Amino acid sequence: MRKTGSACLIACLLSILHLSAQPFMTNVSGRNARPLDGRWQAVVDLYACGEQMEIYKNRTAAEKGRFVECTFDDGFRLDVPGDWNSQCPELKYYESTVWYKRDFDCAPSPDKRLFLYFGAANYRTTVYLNGEKLGSHEGGFTPFQFEIGDKVRAGNNFIVVGVDNRRTAETIPALKYDWWNYGGITRSVLLIETPRRFIEDYTVRLDPKDPERLWAQVRIAGGGRGETVRLSIPEADFSATLRTDAEGKAELSAPVRLERWSPEHPKRYTVELCSRHDTIRERIGFRTVAAEGGRILLNGKPLFLKGINCHDEIPQRRGRAFSEADARMLLGEVKALGCNFLRLTHYPACEALVRMAEEMGILLWEEVPLWQKIAFSDPQTLPKANRMVTEMIARDKNRCAIILWSVSNETAPGPDRNRVLEEMIRHCRALDPSRLVTSAFSHTTDTPTSLTLEDPVAELVDVIGINKYYGWYTPWHCRPQEFVWNVPCDKPVIFSEFGSEALYGNHGDPNDSTNWYEEYQARNYRDNIAMLPNIPHLAGTAPWVLFDFRSPYRMNGRYQEEWNRKGLVSDKGHRKAAWYVLKAYYDSIP
Ligand code: GCU
């Protein structure tokens, strides 16, 4: 039915009002949350015409006298959480829309609020409840939520979710990137019930200005002036009362005595926040991190980051990681390698992994997916990128394991890119002055015996990451021990990517870099390690990469078959020869 001009305008305005999901609440795992995970009904919509066909109304063929073509009935199902690519061979390469649907019973209560929360869905998501559009979210790796208390009905309700993973030049990441474009509702969906006036947001950490003081900020939703929130840390014999302002916000700075969290001593405390209507608690670690004179200081002491990179993927399942079991498998391998640091590439990892890293004492670098070619000249890119930064920090700001927020990976210097990254760095610092800001750079001026970093954005970050593949993409033209690094800033440097490929079980000449031999990969690790003393202010290393991972870029039919083979561990979990080289190096560092 064609809409008249004014109706079209109203529809347009309404859709803008619906534009994006609300800011999500802090610490959903500490709330009255009911998982809606399970086998959801699904419809594959290759032409992305389901919305126009009103699939969200969930019409069923049972409706007499009505011709219903687009229906979920008797169709196939997909696990939620989980990417669709790894659940169904026909969807391995699928890039378009899939519609999900599930029913749920509900007994709405007048003195409670009700939210629908998504841990993540890749990439563009539109959510409907009982046939009514709730809104949409763009971005594949951070949570979003919708308030539904005034929309649910007593008894049966149904949710329809459209997820579209198409890549475009304007998405973040954009058209091409070196990981699999897993689509779908990739993390859990929760139904969260809260008191009408609840503690929707809080930050609790050591005061960056004075680490002998606790700093906290809380916000009560629907609250107003004069609400009190009691913040207590029983084990530290600490409690204090915050009193909210007209916006329901309150801030605290008070003396406290807390054991510091560190990789060697991952001490966490139960922190409880209690208002008149709401109580929430979680385990939080307390530490300080700083960059001074070319070193990274944790709790005031310099440390060396013995790291590795890892995608949020379980290679044995060929799918996205999302569970505690997945987190335990990945982090177990990080620990086995002798690491105290993990670079989460190239996007926020599942929350289970971030929380478990904190429990296991593994420091983290977390990143938004501005990977290489991004549409920096597009006016929409900066707001989109800043929203991804906001959501990444909002979810993980109380996770002491995270010491670095990264705003990009290997983006090429240029006026638009420099401007966008500068704004993102400013935004990052405004949201969280307690952590370090970094970025992984790769555009350097190279000679056969040296590299020089002259990137204007390097002047703006606290810690410089540099990715280089000598011995793989760039052959050695001199002995590694003689290769010179010129990094002009007196800032800590992390060698944030290096390595080469090897097919597990493929053995041969350690001098042959063309046949994916384990022996060559091991030799290349030894060469890069030999070069490390030449890197000024080297504060850490994160070789690329812990596990072989899937990527459409990797088209060598004999050795890759759509797998990036730079893993130290194969896709089946076998450790390659280079794993032992890195392990020995990390074990040699006090
Ligand atoms: C780049 C990039 C990685 C990529 C790697 C590679 O540095 O940051 O995402 O997988 O190189 O080429 O294997």
Side-chain angles (χ1 to χ4, degrees):
M1 177 186 73
R2 284 189 56 72
K3 287 186 174 123
T4 60
S6 54
C8 212
L9 178 64
I10 292 166
C12 239
L13 288 173
L14 277 176
S15 73
I16 289 169
L17 284 174
H18 270 300
L19 186 63
S20 63
Q22 310 151 336
F24 49 86
M25 63 184 82
T26 305
N27 182 20
V28 294
S29 47
R31 297 186 187 273
N32 178 8
R34 172 182 150 202
L36 295 183
D37 296 345
R39 300 280 290 164
W40 289 39
Q41 290 174 284
V43 166
V44 175
D45 179 7
L46 181 61
Y47 296 154
C49 55
E51 186 159 55
Q52 174 203 336
M53 296 172 79
E54 298 185 327
I55 191 169
Y56 52 85
K57 291 189 175 176
N58 184 34
R59 288 200 187 95
T60 67
E63 288 176 23
K64 292 285 172 269
R66 175 182 278 276
F67 170 66
V68 177
E69 184 171 23
C70 194
T71 167
F72 288 96
D73 281 5
D74 307 327
F76 84 126
R77 289 177 176 265
L78 285 171
D79 282 333
V80 169
D83 59 274
W84 59 58
N85 316 71
S86 56
Q87 294 189 51
C88 185
E90 294 80 0
L91 299 179
K92 174 181 175 184
Y93 296 102
Y94 185 73
E95 293 186 305
S96 188
T97 297
V98 169
W99 293 93
Y100 293 78
K101 177 247 172 185
R102 77 154 281 164
D103 297 285
F104 67 97
D105 287 336
C106 190
S109 154
D111 59 356
K112 299 286 185 190
R113 295 173 69 171
L114 197 61
F115 297 86
L116 189 58
Y117 171 96
F118 291 76
N122 188 48
Y123 170 83
R124 221 173 270 95
T125 308
T126 306
V127 181
Y128 300 82
L129 172 66
N130 299 331
E132 181 192 342
K133 187 172 185 176
L134 297 177
S136 57
H137 178 266
E138 180 176 352
F141 305 99
T142 46
F144 52 98
Q145 75 179 35
F146 301 97
E147 185 157 13
I148 60 172
D150 57 349
K151 298 180 175 72
V152 288
R153 52 197 182 209
N156 182 266
N157 298 267
F158 66 92
I159 311 166
V160 170
V161 181
V163 184
D164 174 0
N165 72 331
R166 277 172 296 179
R167 296 162 291 112
T168 75
E170 292 73 35
T171 52
I172 299 178
L175 273 172
K176 286 188 282 186
Y177 42 87
D178 196 16
W179 66 87
W180 206 262
N181 179 20
Y182 289 112
I185 304 177
T186 48
R187 295 176 190 161
S188 283
V189 181
L190 305 174
L191 207 51
I192 302 175
E193 188 179 70
T194 71
R196 291 220 66 81
R197 294 159 77 143
F198 70 105
I199 300 168
E200 73 173 337
D201 180 53
Y202 60 85
T203 309
V204 182
R205 57 171 164 240
L206 292 177
D207 189 331
K209 299 188 192 75
D210 176 357
E212 299 313 313
R213 298 178 73 85
L214 186 80
W215 182 85
Q217 194 174 59
V218 300
R219 187 176 69 239
I220 293 185
R225 185 179 298 285
E227 294 253 10
T228 57
V229 177
R230 191 129 191 85
L231 189 157
S232 54
I233 309 176
E235 193 188 337
D237 193 20
F238 174 89
S239 71
T241 299
L242 296 87
R243 193 173 296 279
T244 60
D245 61 17
E247 292 169 352
K249 289 181 183 175
E251 204 170 292
L252 162 84
S253 175
V256 70
R257 293 180 61 77
L258 293 164
E259 288 177 45
R260 297 292 187 266
W261 180 97
S262 71
E264 301 74 25
H265 180 54
K267 170 71 180 173
R268 294 178 301 156
Y269 289 85
T270 297
V271 175
E272 182 180 276
L273 294 119
C274 192
S275 70
R276 193 167 131 219
H277 305 282
D278 190 20
T279 297
I280 188 161
R281 61 179 68 84
E282 67 172 309
R283 310 264 293 148
I284 294 179
F286 296 91
R287 53 99 189 103
T288 61
V289 65
E292 271 170 33
R295 300 182 303 173
I296 293 177
L297 307 181
L298 186 75
N299 301 321
K301 297 193 196 94
L303 88 162
F304 186 82
L305 299 174
K306 301 182 281 187
I308 191 74
N309 283 282
C310 187
H311 270 292
D312 206 31
E313 175 187 84
I314 302 300
Q316 298 89 334
R317 183 176 70 229
R318 303 180 174 214
R320 276 274 169 246
F322 55 79
S323 67
E324 286 199 6
D326 292 340
R328 199 168 303 284
M329 190 285 279
L330 293 173
L331 294 172
E333 275 298 331
V334 171
K335 273 285 190 190
L337 189 51
C339 301
N340 63 2
F341 174 61
L342 174 61
R343 180 178 173 223
L344 298 172
T345 43
H346 288 284
Y347 38 75
C350 62
E351 190 169 2
L353 192 140
V354 173
R355 286 181 175 269
M356 197 172 290
E358 183 180 75
E359 194 182 314
M360 294 171 72
I362 298 170
L363 294 154
L364 298 175
W365 157 322
E366 195 162 57
E367 186 164 290
V368 284
L370 280 81
W371 191 91
Q372 295 189 6
K373 289 184 176 51
I374 296 292
F376 287 111
S377 60
D378 180 329
Q380 281 310 307
T381 293
L382 178 57
K384 206 180 289 184
N386 269 347
R387 189 170 42 73
M388 291 181 178
V389 168
T390 300
E391 293 176 354
M392 171 174 72
I393 293 178
R395 189 193 75 174
D396 291 338
K397 60 189 176 181
N398 291 317
R399 306 279 68 81
C400 63
I402 296 176
I403 55 171
L404 292 150
W405 300 122
S406 170
V407 294
S408 83
N409 180 75
E410 300 188 349
T411 53
D416 290 324
R417 170 269 197 177
N418 300 350
R419 170 183 53 79
V420 168
L421 293 194
E422 181 172 5
E423 282 305 314
M424 288 175 67
I425 292 165
R426 183 175 295 121
H427 182 63
C428 218
R429 291 205 171 107
L431 289 175
D432 179 5
S434 77
R435 288 181 174 85
L436 302 172
V437 180
T438 188
S439 178
F441 301 97
S442 61
H443 293 75
T444 56
T445 308
D446 291 8
T447 72
T449 59
S450 71
L451 73 78
T452 301
L453 177 69
E454 292 164 322
D455 191 317
V457 174
E459 304 292 333
L460 306 175
V461 296
D462 300 305
V463 174
I464 293 171
I466 295 183
N467 300 350
K468 280 290 171 189
Y469 286 86
Y470 297 115
W472 186 249
Y473 296 124
T474 311
W476 292 106
H477 295 294
C478 68
R479 290 177 62 239
Q481 296 83 335
E482 291 153 10
F483 192 87
V484 175
W485 285 51
N486 301 309
V487 182
C489 333
D490 63 342
K491 297 180 178 177
V493 173
I494 294 174
F495 194 5
S496 41
E497 287 186 34
F498 67 87
S500 57
E501 300 206 17
L503 179 65
Y504 174 74
N506 182 39
H507 297 287
D509 180 353
N511 299 307
D512 176 351
S513 64
T514 62
N515 281 293
W516 274 254
Y517 292 136
E518 280 195 50
E519 287 72 18
Y520 180 76
Q521 186 189 37
R523 180 259 173 93
N524 190 36
Y525 266 70
R526 282 193 289 274
D527 287 345
N528 276 277
I529 290 168
M531 175 177 64
L532 297 181
N534 303 350
I535 303 174
H537 306 313
L538 183 65
T541 54
W544 188 262
V545 66
L546 181 61
F547 275 95
D548 288 352
F549 63 93
R550 294 173 72 192
S551 166
Y553 260 131
R554 307 302 165 178
M555 299 173 268
N556 179 304
R558 178 183 301 173
Y559 300 117
Q560 295 176 320
E561 297 176 293
E562 297 173 332
W563 288 88
N564 183 312
R565 297 289 186 196
K566 294 190 185 67
L568 290 172
V569 184
S570 77
D571 55 297
K572 303 267 187 321
H574 300 113
R575 293 167 182 168
K576 303 174 192 175
W579 186 95
Y580 299 90
V581 173
L582 186 65
K583 168 78 173 153
Y585 169 61
Y586 282 165
D587 288 352
S588 71
I589 300 171

